Amino acid sequence: MGRADMVYGFTGLHPQLSMLYFLVLLGACMMFQHPVYSLVSFVCVVALLFSLDGGRALKKVIKGYLLIAFVIFISNPFFSSRGATILFYAWDRPVTMEAIVYGAIFALSLLNMLLAFVAFNLVVTPDKLLYLLTPYAPRTAFVITVTLRFVPLLTRRLQQIMTIQRAMGYLHPGGSKKHLMREGMETMHTLVGWSLEEALQTAGSMRARGYGIGPRSSGTVYRMDRRDRLVLWMMILTGLNIVIGALFGVNHYEVYPRLQTWQWSSQLGIHLLSYAVFLAIPLVMNGKEWLHWRYIRSNM
């Protein structure tokens, strides 16, 4: 299947460029501790998730991720007493403004990385990941692909087994705890047996087909077109500016031992603009695609 059969927008970009984008994004979320950069990353990642699937994947995970970020934000000032600005004492431990700010920055950075992985799973599908890793590590690529498929597959099978058991009258809410535990163990036994049986069949089929004997080919052909090359140049120009500015400490922000005062400079503005433009590349592509389809539908 060629590129003409695929959906355009950021998801239709060449897998190597998609991987490059998320590598830079995840690296920036981990390395940049400036609060403005973290806020820009959060806004862009949330906008990207909405542009990809209307926010459906975000709605499934946002409550849990916000809870994790909130726990980190609350707990950091009580575990770390570093900082020169003491606000109050809790259980004879000083709670400093620097510890609160650092906890907020760390929580937001972690939230950005978790949401970036959600967007990564939407864009870099298992077949694209297999295409990217197969030339360098075919067995590792296969293990990662199977692992990514494993959890949703078991979830669907578990729902199917439980539906059949309810239809046969085995699982009913009014039963005793002992009965429910016994039926639950039987459900897990059925699930594991079903999965192991299919795994053996898959392994036998792969061995019969000669998997791993020679170089593996891909069923999907990805070729760089003019749009891919244009996006690549945009990523290179903005990405190099991001890396060079970070190496020279343009966006460095000091929390300990005392909060750094806000210092604006032309270098920081250029670096922040380059970072925002880099993060906005998929938003522009998806927005252009959305406007294009709106225009086509209005003329139908």
Side-chain angles (χ1 to χ4, degrees):
M1 180 172 56
R3 292 293 297 277
D5 301 319
M6 299 181 183
V7 179
Y8 277 79
F10 187 63
T11 55
L13 202 63
H14 196 279
Q16 293 178 352
L17 300 184
S18 301
M19 179 66 75
L20 175 62
Y21 175 85
F22 283 106
L23 287 177
V24 175
L25 173 60
L26 290 170
C29 291
M30 288 187 291
M31 302 300 296
F32 294 171
Q33 298 298 322
H34 199 290
V36 176
Y37 283 77
S38 297
L39 287 174
V40 171
S41 301
F42 177 75
V43 172
C44 290
V45 172
V46 171
L48 175 59
L49 287 171
F50 273 97
S51 68
L52 289 173
D53 66 344
R56 291 189 297 272
L58 177 64
K59 294 175 183 177
K60 294 179 181 179
V61 299
I62 188 62
K63 291 183 180 180
Y65 289 173
L66 285 177
L67 179 61
I68 295 173
F70 180 75
V71 170
I72 293 175
F73 170 66
I74 292 297
S75 60
N76 186 74
F78 296 100
F79 285 97
S80 175
S81 301
R82 296 179 60 191
T85 309
I86 300 176
L87 299 179
F88 57 91
Y89 286 86
W91 300 287
D92 296 330
R93 291 181 61 87
V95 177
T96 64
M97 180 184 297
E98 289 78 9
I100 294 176
V101 173
Y102 184 82
I105 294 175
F106 182 74
L108 186 56
S109 299
L110 179 61
L111 181 62
N112 290 337
M113 285 189 289
L114 293 174
L115 295 178
F117 275 111
V118 176
F120 176 84
N121 290 330
L122 292 176
V123 176
V124 184
T125 54
D127 60 323
K128 293 182 180 180
L129 190 62
L130 192 63
Y131 170 82
L132 291 170
L133 297 180
T134 296
Y136 310 102
R139 295 184 179 180
T140 303
F142 178 73
V143 170
I144 293 175
T145 304
V146 171
T147 304
L148 292 175
R149 176 179 174 267
F150 194 63
V151 175
L153 177 63
L154 288 184
T155 303
R156 290 194 301 269
R157 287 180 175 173
L158 181 61
Q159 292 175 352
Q160 294 173 7
I161 296 172
M162 294 179 66
T163 301
I164 295 173
Q165 288 183 330
R166 290 193 187 98
M168 298 179 65
Y170 293 135
L171 288 178
H172 48 87
S176 62
K177 292 184 178 180
K178 182 179 180 180
H179 173 75
L180 292 177
M181 290 179 61
R182 184 172 65 251
E183 294 299 332
M185 293 300 295
E186 288 293 332
T187 302
M188 294 301 299
H189 181 268
T190 305
L191 176 63
V192 173
W194 185 7
S195 301
L196 289 177
E197 181 182 0
E198 185 179 280
L200 291 174
Q201 293 175 356
T202 303
S205 175
M206 292 175 60
R207 178 171 296 181
R209 295 166 187 260
Y211 184 86
I213 296 178
R216 183 185 182 278
S217 60
S218 178
T220 306
V221 179
Y222 298 95
R223 294 186 179 90
M224 287 276 188
D225 56 16
R226 186 180 61 167
R227 186 192 62 155
D228 292 326
R229 288 189 287 270
L230 177 61
V231 174
L232 176 60
W233 277 111
M234 286 291 298
M235 287 185 177
I236 291 176
L237 292 176
T238 55
L240 285 178
N241 198 355
I242 294 170
V243 173
I244 294 174
L247 291 176
F248 281 94
V250 173
N251 62 330
H252 180 71
Y253 185 77
E254 196 71 39
V255 177
Y256 296 117
R258 187 181 297 274
L259 280 179
Q260 178 181 334
T261 57
W262 178 259
Q263 296 178 352
W264 181 261
S265 63
S266 58
Q267 292 85 357
L268 179 61
I270 295 173
H271 190 263
L272 181 60
L273 179 62
S274 299
Y275 184 62
V277 170
F278 182 88
L279 295 186
I281 289 176
L283 301 179
V284 173
M285 297 177 66
N286 291 339
K288 178 178 177 295
E289 185 71 11
W290 181 80
L291 292 175
H292 178 68
W293 281 108
R294 291 276 295 184
Y295 175 75
I296 292 177
R297 293 180 62 183
S298 64
N299 292 332
M300 292 177 64

